[in-house]
């Protein structure tokens, strides 16, 4: 008898859900490329090299989704992660760690803002469970969204529409 470890993976989503997520991920990639971000899909290519820019990936599990992560160049992340691994004072981290953390926070805000503006439904995922920066949960085409620059119907307009 061998003592092979067994890992219970979460249940996988049905193929039609994974396909819908793949289509959503491609829309996310297209939108991010339109604004000038370098984008990769390492989940499709299997490439182990982490390049600077946005990595968009789909998880096939029931509780999965479409995620976008920002990766800095190793010249920025390497020293910060090395210091972090050595142990740091979280109340007063070294400048390299502070800067790296600030960059990631700013890029998360930028990605969320850009994707939301483009019509995607986004939220901050549980960092402990997914380690990702942005969770994209849906898309509403621009034409289906109300125009924020045009006033909505007034109370009088709604009343007259209901009575006619």
């Amino acid at each position: 008898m061998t003592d092979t470890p067994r890992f219970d993976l979460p249940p996988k989503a049905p193929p039609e859900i994974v396909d819908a997520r793949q289509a959503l991920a491609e829309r996310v990639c297209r939108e991010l490329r339109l604004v000038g971000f370098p984008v990769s899909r390492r989940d499709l290519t299997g490439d182990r090299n982490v390049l600077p820019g946005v990595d968009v990936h789909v998880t096939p599990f029931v509780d999965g989704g479409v995620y976008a992560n920002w990766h800095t160049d190793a010249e920025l992340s390497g020293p910060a992660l090395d210091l972090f691994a050595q142990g740091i004072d979280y109340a007063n981290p070294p400048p390299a760690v502070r800067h790296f953390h600030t960059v990631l926070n700013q890029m998360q805000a930028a990605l969320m803002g850009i994707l939301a503006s483009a019509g995607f439904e986004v939220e901050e995922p549980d960092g402990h469970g997914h380690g990702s920066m942005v969770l994209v949960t849906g898309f509403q085409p621009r034409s289906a969204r109300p125009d924020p620059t045009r006033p909505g119907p007034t109370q009088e307009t709604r009343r007259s529409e209901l009575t006619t």
Side-chain angles (χ1 to χ4, degrees):
M1 178 171 157
T2 61
D3 289 333
T4 56
R6 292 182 183 213
F7 298 100
D8 291 329
L9 292 174
K12 290 203 172 194
E16 59 273 7
I17 290 177
V18 174
D19 290 345
R21 289 177 185 163
Q22 294 291 359
L24 182 61
E26 285 306 312
R27 282 191 114 122
V28 168
C29 290
R30 181 179 183 280
E31 191 64 39
L32 292 174
R33 284 186 187 108
L34 285 174
V35 300
F37 282 116
V39 179
S40 63
R41 289 284 314 269
R42 291 184 316 136
D43 64 330
L44 296 180
T45 65
D47 188 1
R48 295 173 118 343
N49 294 321
V50 178
L51 300 173
V54 184
D55 178 43
V56 176
H57 63 279
V58 171
T59 57
F61 306 113
V62 169
D63 290 333
V66 177
Y67 297 90
N69 289 332
W70 180 259
H71 296 283
T72 65
D73 189 87
E75 191 174 337
L76 177 66
S77 61
L81 296 175
D82 290 344
L83 285 168
F84 187 77
Q86 294 171 17
I88 60 169
D89 175 6
Y90 291 98
N92 186 24
V97 173
R98 257 194 327 268
H99 178 59
F100 178 65
H101 182 70
T102 297
V103 167
L104 292 182
N105 285 340
Q106 294 297 315
M107 292 311 298
Q108 179 185 37
L111 288 170
M112 290 184 84
I114 290 165
L115 291 172
S117 175
F120 293 93
E121 297 164 15
V122 296
E123 60 187 65
E124 186 176 337
D126 173 17
H128 296 290
H130 297 285
S132 296
M133 295 182 75
V134 179
L135 169 61
V136 181
T137 59
F139 178 74
Q140 186 178 20
R142 287 182 185 101
S143 60
R145 288 183 279 156
D147 182 352
T149 62
R150 296 187 59 188
T154 65
Q155 193 73 12
E156 288 302 313
T157 306
R158 282 190 290 252
R159 247 187 243 126
S160 68
E161 289 171 353
L162 292 172
T163 58
T164 55

